[in-house]
Amino acid sequence: MKKFMAEFKEFISQGNVMDLAVGVIIGGAFGAIVTSLCDDIIMPCIQLIISKIFGVESIDEMTKILNVGPIAFGNFIAAVINFLIMAFIIFLMVKGINNLRNLNKKKEEEEEAATTKMCPYCCTEIDINATKCPHCTSDLKE
């Protein structure tokens, strides 16, 4: 069971899975904007043009004929604000995940770099615990 959970954790933490999730969520929110643009702004304008062509005098009369409402800028603005809020929240989540990944990478790099040091006299790489350089035989103070 632990192996399964470790594999699942590795799968979720991969960048391509997070990118896919972000794409699906942002795509859904953007779809709401497009739907609102069509339903609340473009269609009422088309209805207005059709009402002029067929000689209907008022929007109310045209609305009754076509069974649709007037231009709803509020719905469209709400969809845009909803999209921006969702995009901002997703941005914060991805930024947090990336920070966690970078933190893990830094820890791994520190662990790897902690095994050697440079000799101040001959500038060769030596063991971190060495008290004497094996290349130039200088005594090391550190």
Side-chain angles (χ1 to χ4, degrees):
M1 184 67 174
K2 289 182 181 180
K3 183 179 178 185
F4 176 78
M5 292 304 289
E7 288 176 6
F8 181 72
K9 182 181 174 184
E10 182 181 337
F11 171 76
I12 290 298
S13 66
Q14 290 178 349
N16 54 1
V17 173
M18 291 305 299
D19 294 341
L20 178 63
V22 167
V24 168
I25 293 169
I26 294 294
F30 190 72
I33 290 176
V34 172
T35 301
S36 177
L37 176 66
C38 291
D39 292 345
D40 299 329
I41 295 179
I42 293 174
M43 286 308 296
C45 292
I46 291 173
Q47 293 165 9
L48 181 63
I49 293 169
I50 291 173
S51 69
K52 296 298 179 186
I53 291 173
F54 290 115
V56 179
E57 295 298 323
S58 69
I59 294 280
D60 293 332
E61 192 176 327
M62 186 64 189
T63 303
K64 289 177 187 174
I65 292 171
L66 295 176
N67 195 21
V68 273
I71 297 174
F73 289 107
N75 290 347
F76 179 70
I77 292 170
V80 171
I81 291 171
N82 185 18
F83 172 78
L84 293 174
I85 290 170
M86 288 179 70
F88 181 70
I89 290 170
I90 298 280
F91 167 75
L92 291 177
M93 288 174 53
V94 169
K95 187 174 180 169
I97 289 170
N98 287 341
N99 286 342
L100 286 175
R101 283 187 193 153
N102 291 338
L103 184 63
N104 287 338
K105 287 180 183 177
K106 286 180 183 176
K107 285 182 181 178
E108 290 172 3
E109 289 173 0
E110 287 175 3
E111 290 173 2
E112 291 174 5
T115 60
T116 62
K117 64 181 177 180
M118 297 297 284
C119 174
Y121 302 104
C122 66
C123 296
T124 57
E125 191 172 342
I126 58 174
D127 187 74
I128 192 122
N129 297 324
T131 56
K132 191 168 200 140
C133 178
H135 302 286
C136 67
T137 66
S138 299
D139 288 326
L140 303 174
K141 295 179 184 177
E142 296 179 28

